[in-house]
Amino acid sequence: MTPRTTRKITIGPLEMGGNAPIVVQSMAAVKTTLVPDVVATVNRLSEAGAALVRLAVDTHQDVLALAEIRAKTAVPLSVDLQENFRLAEEVAPYVDKIRYNPGHLYHNEPNLPWQKKVAWLVQVAVDFNCALRIGVNCGSLDPEHAGDDDPMLQSALEHADFLESLGFTRFCVSLKSSDPAKVLDLNRTFARQRPAIPLHLGVTEAGAPPWGIIKSRMALEPLLAEGIGDTLRVSLTVENDRKAEEVLAGLQLIQRVEQGDVLDPASVRLPKLNIVSCPSCARVENSRFVQLAEQVRAATEFASDYPLKIAVMGCRVNGPGETDDADFGLWCGPNAVHLKEGSQSRGTWPYDEVIAQLLELLRVRGIKQS
């Protein structure tokens, strides 16, 4: 690998960046309030080789559970806040890193400028000895950058510059897209413009194995070979008890790069039909989401040569944005699935009926099984 140029930061006892080993991480995919299940998942991921495990916290009940989880686990923990940034002060005593998404800062206290929100997050991080991650995601973009040529890059640069203007440098940045080529381009550009800032790599909504692993390899292996990337997650649509597969895939990916076996993205022929599905997390509103994603893949295999994008999303966080960007989207709720064609709703259907409706939409477009 080309030597990295980023500064080293600490995440609890863990070092990231500079000449520190590349950190492989994963995320629990079970409700945070189910403490025994989460503890078992965290320990299983740590035993597989995860140096950092991320949890989702949305409510005060999640915070109470997090305190129990912290007391029963040893691996460094990161937390996703998403819309509820004010929970940072409650979760900070129990975690080593807090991830915030610039695109979600507008959901709470919309009249308060994002700069004041982020300055408050930085103070919380300082007070409780936490690192931060600026997590920019293609499915939930900052509305202030909606008209930019590259809204993800501009948002990441803006927030990184703002944190540094506050004198806070204990942070990393992620720029995640479901398109491997976009991940390559964004991270190369950011690394060139801000070479000191550690980068968290990943292809979001990569989908189920084997294509989810292949998409991740297409983006992450060339970046690592170029000295870009300090931590990574291979995001796979699998059940919670299979989340260790993300860790093993990440470790194998790093090992291949270290051995000079770097996948050339140009050598991969992905199916023209691009099925993206999120990796599941504590926010997934129905455990049938993972099975549905696999059923969609199997049911649409006949259309693999059609240049379409189908997005299967497990919750509200990136569901609206990612499905709006797809030709067809399935946004999963607690009891039913919202079916979309582009940004237009095509109705809400039970889990066991929605695939038939999706196939009907394909048929209307002239795409049907022979």
Side-chain angles (χ1 to χ4, degrees):
M1 299 182 185
T2 300
R4 286 172 284 156
T5 62
T6 53
R7 58 179 168 243
K8 189 178 291 185
I9 64 172
T10 56
I11 302 170
L14 185 64
E15 291 185 334
M16 176 191 294
N19 62 356
I22 295 167
V23 174
V24 175
Q25 58 180 280
S26 183
M27 187 174 186
V30 61
K31 297 292 184 185
T32 304
T33 50
L34 300 176
V35 173
D37 294 335
V38 178
V39 169
T41 299
V42 170
N43 291 334
R44 187 164 57 243
L45 293 172
S46 177
E47 290 165 5
L52 182 68
V53 175
R54 185 156 47 109
L55 305 176
V57 172
D58 286 329
T59 67
H60 297 289
Q61 288 72 29
D62 288 339
V63 175
L64 296 175
L66 179 63
E68 290 187 61
I69 294 162
R70 173 73 290 171
K72 298 176 180 179
T73 56
V75 66
L77 295 178
S78 174
V79 69
D80 256 350
L81 297 179
Q82 300 297 350
E83 295 100 331
N84 198 349
F85 77 97
R86 287 296 184 191
L87 285 176
E89 195 168 35
E90 296 184 44
V91 304
Y94 311 114
V95 298
D96 304 288
K97 186 169 72 152
I98 296 172
R99 183 258 187 170
Y100 79 88
N101 182 339
H104 285 152
L105 289 175
Y106 296 85
H107 294 279
N108 278 5
E109 302 176 43
N111 294 325
L112 186 66
W114 69 261
Q115 291 89 344
K116 290 187 178 295
K117 297 177 183 180
V118 172
W120 182 82
L121 287 172
V122 166
Q123 190 59 55
V124 169
V126 171
D127 290 345
F128 291 94
N129 196 29
C130 292
L132 293 177
R133 168 157 71 104
I134 302 167
V136 181
N137 192 295
C138 66
S140 48
L141 296 175
D142 184 337
E144 285 193 5
H145 291 285
D148 292 353
D149 290 338
D150 203 329
M152 291 181 64
L153 179 63
Q154 294 308 312
S155 182
L157 291 169
E158 178 179 61
H159 280 256
D161 290 347
F162 183 69
L163 262 61
E164 290 186 333
S165 77
L166 299 174
F168 187 82
T169 58
R170 196 176 165 195
F171 69 93
C172 65
V173 169
S174 63
L175 299 108
K176 293 191 177 184
S177 170
S178 56
D179 180 356
K182 187 73 171 175
V183 173
L184 265 171
D185 181 61
L186 284 168
N187 284 277
R188 280 172 172 158
T189 304
F190 187 92
R192 185 169 60 249
Q193 297 188 29
R194 300 292 187 275
I197 297 175
L199 278 167
H200 168 130
L201 303 181
V203 175
T204 191
E205 291 107 36
W211 287 114
I213 295 175
I214 293 169
K215 288 179 180 179
S216 297
R217 290 188 62 195
M218 290 171 66
L220 274 54
E221 289 186 2
L223 289 169
L224 292 178
E226 296 166 19
I228 299 171
D230 303 281
T231 181
L232 63 85
R233 179 190 178 194
V234 177
S235 297
L236 300 175
T237 308
V238 293
E239 300 280 3
N240 182 66
D241 60 5
R242 293 178 56 191
K243 278 296 169 180
E245 293 179 30
E246 294 188 344
V247 181
L248 298 176
L251 293 170
Q252 291 168 0
L253 188 154
I254 293 169
Q255 184 179 46
R256 277 190 290 264
V257 176
E258 290 175 338
Q259 295 172 346
D261 181 19
V262 178
L263 182 66
D264 177 7
S267 69
V268 180
R269 184 180 179 273
L270 292 172
K272 291 181 180 179
L273 175 62
N274 181 23
I275 297 178
V276 302
S277 55
C278 71
S280 74
C281 71
R283 297 185 184 89
V284 168
E285 298 185 85
N286 189 313
S287 60
R288 293 181 64 182
F289 155 72
V290 176
Q291 291 82 14
L292 180 66
E294 175 56 29
Q295 291 165 357
V296 169
R297 185 204 61 77
T300 59
E301 195 168 358
F302 70 92
S304 61
D305 287 332
Y306 288 87
L308 298 171
K309 178 179 178 181
I310 300 176
V312 188
M313 306 300 294
C315 79
R316 71 187 187 284
V317 173
N318 293 316
E322 193 65 67
T323 51
D324 278 355
D325 187 51
D327 294 281
F328 301 100
L330 294 88
W331 173 19
C332 300
N335 303 306
V337 182
H338 309 281
L339 180 61
K340 298 168 65 179
E341 186 170 6
S343 61
Q344 301 300 310
S345 173
R346 292 294 179 250
T348 302
W349 306 90
Y351 275 77
D352 57 359
E353 296 179 16
V354 70
I355 290 179
Q357 299 301 321
L358 171 64
L359 294 177
E360 175 61 18
L361 291 179
L362 290 172
R363 188 195 66 77
V364 169
R365 287 204 187 187
I367 305 169
K368 54 187 178 181
Q369 292 172 290
S370 58

